[in-house]
Structure formats: C-alpha cells, structure tokens
Amino acid sequence: MAQTLPFDAPLGKDAGPAGASPAPPRPLAPSGRRSLLAGRLGYHLLLAPAALLLLTFYILPVVRVLWISVVEPHPGLGNYAELASPPVRHVLTTTAAICTLTTTITVLLAYVVAYAITHCGRITRRLLMLGVILPLWISVLVRSIAWVALLRRQGVVNSTLLQLGIIHQPLALIWNELGVTIGMVHYMLPYGILPLVANMRLIDPSFTTAARGLGASPVQAFRRIFLPLSLPGVIAAGVLVFIFSLGFYATPVLLGGGKVIMVTEYISSQIMNVLDWGTGTMLATTMVATVLVLLVLLSRAADLRQVFGAK
Amino acid sequence: MTTIATVESDDTGLRLSRLSAWLVVCFLLLPITVIVPISLTDRPYLSLPAAGLSLQYFINFFTSPDWLSSFGQSFFVAVCAMVIAALTGTLAAIGCWRLGGRVSDGMRALMLLPMIIPQVVYALGIYRTYAEMHLLGTYTGVIIAHAVTGIPYVAILVSAALADFDMRLDQAARSLGASIFQSITLVLLPIIRPAIASGAIFAFIHSWDELLLVLFIGGRAIFTLPRRIWNGINDTLDPTMAAVATVLLFIACLLLVLDLVIRRRDL
C-alpha cells in the first residue's frame, strides 16, 4: 500500500532515442552500423521480460474481465441494464458521495499543509515532510486496527471525552459514513499533499512579492496570483485522490462495518458470495471507464509531468 | 507604515497555515502512535493499558504457529515478488530510456497500468485466469500477481534516476571498447543502484501489505499476514492484533529509514 513514489519521482523523462545523441566515435568504422542495429535489438530484448509478464499476467486477465461483462451470462449489454437497479444504484451513489466528500476534505487540508511546507524553513519542512511520508509506509490494515481502537464506542476517543465530561453518551464515530471518511481522508492525505508540494515548489515567489510591491494586500496577492498558479496542482491532487478512493477496499469495509458498502466491496461479494460474474465484471468495467475518463480530463487540465514534479 | 502592516498580516496567514499543517500531521501520526501503547495493554480487549503494561500479546504473537507461519509466508512471497519486479522493471526501464519514441512510450504506459486500474478489476481477472491454470492457492500464483503489480514502483523510480544519468558516460565507455552489456553492468548499474534498491523496497512493501489479491487467489493454502489480520479483525478484536500491528509498524519504520539512507533523499 505504500505508494509514495509517483509524486516525488518524475515519470521518466525521455533522454531521447539513442540515435538522436551524437554518435560515439568509432575508430573501427565498418562494423559501426551493424552494431548500432544489434544495439537497438538488444535494448528491445531488455523490454521483453517485463512486457511478457505484464501482457500474460496483467493485460490478458484485465481484458478478460471487460470481455466477460458483455458475454456472461448472455452476450450483449444486458449486464449494463443492472446499473439502473436499486441495489447497484445505491452502491454507486454511496461510492460517489463518499469519494467526493473524501476528495474535498483531503484537498482542502492538503492545500494548507503543502502551503506551509513550501513557505517555511528547512528544518520545519523536513519534519512536516517526514510526518506526511511516514504514514505512507504503514499498512492500511495496521491503521484500520488503530482507528477501530480509537473510535469505537468504548474506544480511546470516547472514553477520554467521557472522562473529561465533555460528552455523556459515547459518540457513534465508527461503522458509519463518518468512520469511513475519517479513515479514507487519513489514507489519502499524503497523496494529496505530495503533488501539491511538487506544484507549489514551481511557483516563483517573486510573483507574489511583485504583486505586493504593486500594492496588493496579502489576501489579494494570494487570491489573484498564488491560487490560480496552484490550480493545476489542486486539480491533479483531486483527480488522483478521487481515483484512489474509488478503488479502496480495506478501510471502507473495516470502518464501515457492513453499513457503508462501496463499489469494490460490492464487486467482491458479487464474485465471492453470489457468484454473479455478470454484475461483478460489469461494475469493474464501469470503474475502469470512469478512471480512464478522469485521467483524460486530468491530462487536459494539467501537464502530467509537471504535476508529478518531473520538471 | 503600510509595509510593516502588510508584513505582519502576511505572518498571521503563514502562522495559521503552519499551525494547521502541524495539526494535520498530528492527525496523520495519531493512529500510528496510539497503536504502540494499545499493544502493551493488560486488558483483554483493544484499549489503552489500565493498571500496568503487559507483554502478553507480543508473547501470543511470537508463540502462535499460525501468526509465525503467516509471517514466514508473507516474507517469502514478498522477497520473490520483489526480485522479479526489480529485475524485469529495471531492465525494461533501461530499454525504454535508450530506445525512446513510441515503443518506449507504450511500454511506460503498460508498466504504469497496474497502479492506475483499480485492484479489484485485476483481482477478478487473475482469479478467473488462475482457476484455469490451476494456480489458485499456490505460491507461484501469488508471487506472479504481486510481482506484476509491483513493477510500476520499480519502473517509476529507475526511470527517474535514468533521466538524470549523464549519457556521455555511456558513450565514453562504448567508445573505449565496452560492449552494451559491459557498459550497462560496469557504468550504468552502479550509478542507478540506489534507485533500483529503493524501487525494490517499494515492491517488497507492496507485496507485504497486499490484501485484496490474496483474498481472491490465496485459496486454502496461502495465508499471508494481511489475510490473517483481515480474518482476525472480522472475527474478534483480540489485542494480539495490536501487537502484530506494532511489529509491522516497526518493520515499516526500518524500511523507511533504509530507503532514506539509500537514496540520501532531501525531504
């Protein structure tokens, strides 16, 4: 579950094809051309193991899921009519609502943290970054156990508040939408913060200084200069968090306690318990389509490589 | 006058954002820190210690054949998956870097897919595929699935390191008579080794923490640690779970430190 890297690592800038760089001096000219060809073949061979592994054990199984959705139990789009059925609609509405809520809260909090990280001294920055990165390394199950211990009726939060006399009845903090949202925001925050930091680092501080020098108030300088410049980062963080939220499994199940059923849990139970491959694969296909559409939107709104901090 | 006033209000804004940032970081660290005292509880349910600290749940964990076997299984699967992902991912990243053009763009997109497509979609597909190949409930099956989904981490990190690599070093080696193989092993690999190691650590953690796939393809034989915890959480809320969580927390911190040292990364 630790998925730190995409945000602090570039997506691999092209160093340019070998042929485009100045050819190495070759004293033995006659063999030059042949070995260049052999070289390119050699580099193609380097791709082979990963390509074979991915095609056989990733792409084929995934394509198969898409295929099953239109042929089982009957060929045609019959499975997709299920999208209108009340239980599926309920699951989709729940998923959309929780993902939207999670994304909104995450991006708001992430913005504040990223702003502080890019506007503070070196030591504070390092400490804050460490606090952001550490949770990424902790298993989502470990965190869910901790949230259960903290939030349940006799949990740490409720018993502390009761002892302090702030509340007289334990609060229902878990096994409902609130619990799921707390757990999901906690998981998603680093994925919101890191792309925003990458984006804000690129904003030239002299722009805001110039605005201030020309008489803008701090609020004006922020609203009219900094905020618009950070908007691509906001969109990128939002779309990424939304995509990751859609596919989330462990936290909604553990903190939702069967009362908040999101699409991944529903698909799993369709396959594992009901053995309804038609509905399961149809929903899986719908998820893939949604994610791809979101990615296209993201690539239009922002230069992906810049967003991920490659520049 | 105005300058001083604006600088001050600037400071308030910044101070506010810094304060909120620390609050958010506290929220991020809260569940991680609270799990340690809970694992030392002397009560029979998930709670903070009441009268005194007790190591009984750690003893439970380290003497339970089930938990220890899961620990071993997880470690074995994660190491194998890590080796496969690191090897194939690194080779492919080097190939993409040298080839450029459409082939390499396509390959890069292919390598990123497992990170973008929701895991449950793949879980369904691989479950069906393995059922026919008789790979359900086998180490081979779980290792391959974890390796394939671990490739993106290696590919991203190694590609990033390659983008910073000075091509002239490679040209110099080749012009001095090194073959492609020699140039890669003697010049390129030593320079990008930290990135490979870091990618390998991520691939390890990916497999070590992976739950959904193993629920589908683990069958009756493979009970990795996440799967055992999952069953445990759904059955009872035994504080042994908190002890396991603390052990995992400790391992994760070790790996994080290892990664920071390897990459000598500036946060």
Side-chain angles (χ1 to χ4, degrees), chain A residues 173-216:
Chain A
L173 300 171
I174 203 177
W175 296 310
N176 52 26
E177 283 86 353
L178 178 65
V180 175
T181 311
I182 292 176
M184 283 184 60
V185 168
H186 184 264
Y187 183 85
M188 294 302 164
L189 266 171
Y191 296 101
I193 294 170
L194 293 174
L196 274 169
V197 169
N199 165 277
M200 287 183 188
R201 271 187 180 165
L202 300 173
I203 298 175
D204 191 339
S206 59
F207 290 164
T208 20
T209 318
R212 297 289 309 288
L214 294 169

Side-chain angles (χ1 to χ4, degrees), chain B residues 31-176:
Chain B
I32 300 168
T33 39
V34 87
I35 201 75
V36 180
I38 288 175
S39 70
L40 294 169
T41 188
D42 53 351
R43 293 194 272 191
Y45 49 90
L46 276 184
S47 60
L48 290 172
L53 302 180
S54 149
L55 283 174
Q56 55 171 314
Y57 296 105
F58 284 91
I59 296 168
N60 270 3
F61 172 65
F62 285 110
T63 52
S64 145
D66 281 352
W67 282 111
L68 287 181
S69 131
S70 287
F71 198 88
Q73 289 187 25
S74 267
F75 189 75
F76 176 69
V77 168
V79 167
C80 295
M82 171 188 85
V83 170
I84 299 175
L87 213 64
T88 56
T90 303
L91 290 180
I94 295 175
C96 285
W97 171 66
R98 286 308 299 262
L99 287 168
R102 282 198 156 173
V103 181
S104 103
D105 281 349
M107 186 67 198
R108 283 201 182 114
L110 180 64
M111 288 196 287
L112 285 181
L113 274 184
M115 192 175 259
I116 297 162
I117 292 180
Q119 199 73 295
V120 67
V121 180
Y122 176 57
L124 299 192
I126 199 73
Y127 176 59
R128 189 78 170 230
T129 309
Y130 278 1
E132 281 163 17
M133 297 172 78
H134 304 291
L135 282 174
L136 288 178
T138 63
Y139 280 104
T140 320
V142 177
I143 289 169
I144 293 178
H146 281 181
V148 166
T149 45
I151 288 179
Y153 302 98
V154 181
I156 290 174
L157 282 170
V158 175
S159 299
L162 286 169
D164 293 334
F165 178 76
D166 187 348
M167 284 293 267
R168 285 170 303 180
L169 289 176
D170 178 64
Q171 286 162 6
R174 297 291 302 278
S175 73
L176 290 169

Side-chain angles (χ1 to χ4, degrees), chain B residues 208-221:
Chain B
W208 179 254
D209 287 342
E210 203 288 321
L211 171 71
L212 192 55
L213 288 175
V214 89
L215 285 181
F216 272 87
I217 62 175
R220 291 193 193 139

Side-chain angles (χ1 to χ4, degrees), chain A residues 4-311:
Chain A
T4 350
L5 38 141
F7 311 109
D8 47 18
L11 279 172
K13 278 175 288 183
D14 245 345
S21 50
R26 291 192 162 276
L28 302 170
S31 68
R33 197 188 185 127
R34 243 183 51 213
S35 74
L36 190 70
L37 275 174
R40 285 191 70 79
L41 183 65
Y43 289 123
H44 276 105
L45 281 179
L46 292 181
L47 303 185
L52 277 178
L53 210 55
L54 280 163
L55 286 175
T56 326
F57 289 100
Y58 194 86
I59 301 300
L60 273 182
V62 168
V63 168
R64 189 163 187 178
V65 170
L66 312 184
W67 176 245
I68 293 172
S69 79
V70 288
V71 294
E72 272 184 37
H74 311 292
L77 294 175
N79 288 325
Y80 288 82
E82 278 289 306
L83 279 174
S85 77
V88 171
R89 265 209 336 243
H90 181 68
V91 167
L92 293 180
T93 327
T94 311
T95 311
I98 293 211
C99 290
T100 312
L101 187 63
T102 303
T103 308
T104 315
I105 299 174
T106 304
V107 172
L108 277 176
L109 295 179
Y111 196 91
V112 177
V113 177
Y115 188 83
I117 286 178
T118 45
H119 291 82
C120 65
R122 203 165 145 204
I123 294 167
T124 318
R125 189 182 75 224
R126 285 190 168 188
L127 284 175
L128 285 173
M129 277 301 264
L130 199 63
V132 172
I133 285 173
L134 182 66
L136 277 175
W137 289 72
I138 312 299
S139 153
V140 70
L141 287 174
V142 170
R143 299 195 235 172
S144 299
I145 295 171
W147 281 123
V148 170
L150 277 167
L151 299 179
R152 66 202 183 92
R153 270 182 82 83
Q154 302 86 1
V156 177
V157 172
N158 269 323
S159 51
T160 312
L161 291 179
L162 281 170
Q163 269 173 13
L164 293 176
I166 298 174
I167 52 169
H168 302 289
Q169 290 281 321
L171 303 170
L173 300 171
I174 203 177
W175 296 310
N176 52 26
E177 283 86 353
L178 178 65
V180 175
T181 311
I182 292 176
M184 283 184 60
V185 168
H186 184 264
Y187 183 85
M188 294 302 164
L189 266 171
Y191 296 101
I193 294 170
L194 293 174
L196 274 169
V197 169
N199 165 277
M200 287 183 188
R201 271 187 180 165
L202 300 173
I203 298 175
D204 191 339
S206 59
F207 290 164
T208 20
T209 318
R212 297 289 309 288
L214 294 169
S217 73
V219 177
Q220 278 178 322
F222 174 78
R223 260 190 47 203
R224 306 202 29 200
I225 308 291
F226 193 86
L227 190 61
L229 285 171
S230 63
L231 221 48
V234 172
I235 294 170
V239 172
L240 280 175
V241 168
F242 195 84
I243 289 177
F244 286 154
S245 306
L246 274 183
F248 219 41
Y249 181 65
T251 299
V253 176
L254 292 177
L255 304 185
K259 292 187 195 102
V260 188
I261 295 180
M262 288 184 40
V263 68
T264 305
E265 183 182 3
Y266 189 77
I267 293 177
S268 308
S269 77
Q270 288 301 303
I271 305 297
M272 306 270 234
N273 307 331
V274 195
L275 301 178
D276 181 353
W277 277 83
T279 309
T281 52
M282 176 277 286
L283 284 172
T285 309
T286 313
M287 272 176 105
V288 174
T290 313
V291 167
L292 291 181
V293 168
L294 286 172
L295 274 181
V296 170
L297 288 181
L298 173 61
S299 69
R300 292 216 172 156
D303 174 359
L304 283 179
R305 284 183 181 166
Q306 187 178 9
V307 163
F308 293 125
K311 280 181 191 163

